[in-house]
Amino acid sequence: HTHTHTYSEFTMTDISVAAAQHALSDMGLQEELLEDELDEFDEPAHIREARMAAFKQDMEDLKQSQALQCGTVEEFVDEKELLKLTVSAPRVVCHFYHPDFRRCAIMDGHLEKLAKAHFTTKFVKFPAEAAPFLTERLKIRVLPTLLCFIDSVCKVKPEQAQEELREPTEMKRVVFPSSIIHTHTHT
């Protein structure tokens, strides 16, 4: 038996890669399911309009995330490209790393799991030695270092990001501000 996911299921928490791909492949169906749900509960017009507007915004967010190739950890090696990304993407988690450091490899594994679970946040890694300007400007002194950018503003400074390596869910709770791991909210 195949379960048809409803729009409400996708928006209760941040959307995973699989759920995002499903929602994007069936946008028309998702809109119909939401309309059916609203009809079933006989929602007042203002609530219906707000839910439909939120649905359309969420679909736009998913399209933007898809265009940014969210869902994996992408490697950048050009400082200018990374700066452009932090300006163009609403939420970016950047891991500055060294390829020979075991702790950086562990962090990569954690971030791969988080990237799959949080499709609307762009996860990237950058070799620190290839970023002399950024490492100096952002005062990166210890590797691995995670930086979180929200609307092009660095919200977690390196000294805050030096937490012990943890399981991805614990790391998310301790290191990331709540707005970097996007959770959809609706009225």
Side-chain angles (χ1 to χ4, degrees), residues 2-169:
T2 304
H3 175 69
T4 301
H5 295 281
T6 65
Y7 169 70
S8 297
E9 288 176 286
F10 289 130
T11 59
M12 290 181 189
T13 60
D14 191 22
I15 194 165
S16 70
V17 172
Q21 289 170 341
H22 181 76
L24 287 167
S25 69
D26 288 335
M27 275 190 285
L29 175 61
Q30 295 304 318
E31 189 168 359
E32 286 177 32
L33 289 171
L34 177 58
E35 287 173 352
D36 290 347
E37 182 181 316
L38 294 172
D39 288 342
E40 180 180 333
F41 294 108
D42 196 27
E43 296 287 350
H46 70 283
I47 292 176
R48 173 187 281 282
E49 289 170 14
R51 293 274 313 271
M52 291 306 290
F55 168 79
K56 288 181 174 144
Q57 182 58 55
D58 286 346
M59 290 299 110
E60 287 304 312
D61 290 349
L62 291 179
K63 286 180 192 174
Q64 180 185 22
S65 295
Q66 186 178 44
L68 290 169
Q69 299 176 337
C70 293
T72 62
V73 178
E74 184 177 354
E75 182 159 9
F76 278 66
V77 293
D78 182 290
E79 287 178 296
K80 289 179 185 173
E81 290 300 312
L82 179 62
L83 290 172
K84 279 199 277 188
L85 175 68
T86 63
V87 171
S88 65
R91 289 168 302 283
V92 178
V93 173
C94 183
H95 170 210
F96 287 88
Y97 77 99
H98 189 283
D100 297 333
F101 291 3
R102 186 179 74 77
R103 291 174 62 87
C104 293
I106 293 168
M107 182 66 71
D108 281 343
H110 290 338
L111 293 177
E112 283 290 342
K113 290 176 186 172
L114 287 170
K116 285 178 179 32
H118 302 283
F119 186 70
T120 57
T121 298
K122 179 69 176 171
F123 288 83
V124 299
K125 65 181 191 175
F126 201 101
E129 71 271 6
F133 171 77
L134 287 174
T135 54
E136 183 59 36
R137 171 121 182 171
L138 298 170
K139 298 178 178 29
I140 296 170
R141 304 286 182 255
V142 177
L143 298 177
T145 289
L146 291 177
L147 297 179
C148 302
F149 296 88
I150 301 169
D151 296 326
S152 73
V153 176
C154 184
K155 297 291 187 176
V156 175
K157 305 292 185 226
E159 60 274 11
Q160 295 171 294
Q162 301 309 322
E163 294 292 326
E164 283 299 310
L165 294 176
R166 305 166 185 270
E167 285 302 307
T169 52

Side-chain angles (χ1 to χ4, degrees), residues 169-182:
T169 52
E170 179 67 10
M171 188 174 73
K172 176 176 77 171
R173 185 185 67 74
V174 174
V175 177
F176 300 146
S178 61
S179 51
I180 193 72
I181 302 296
H182 185 58

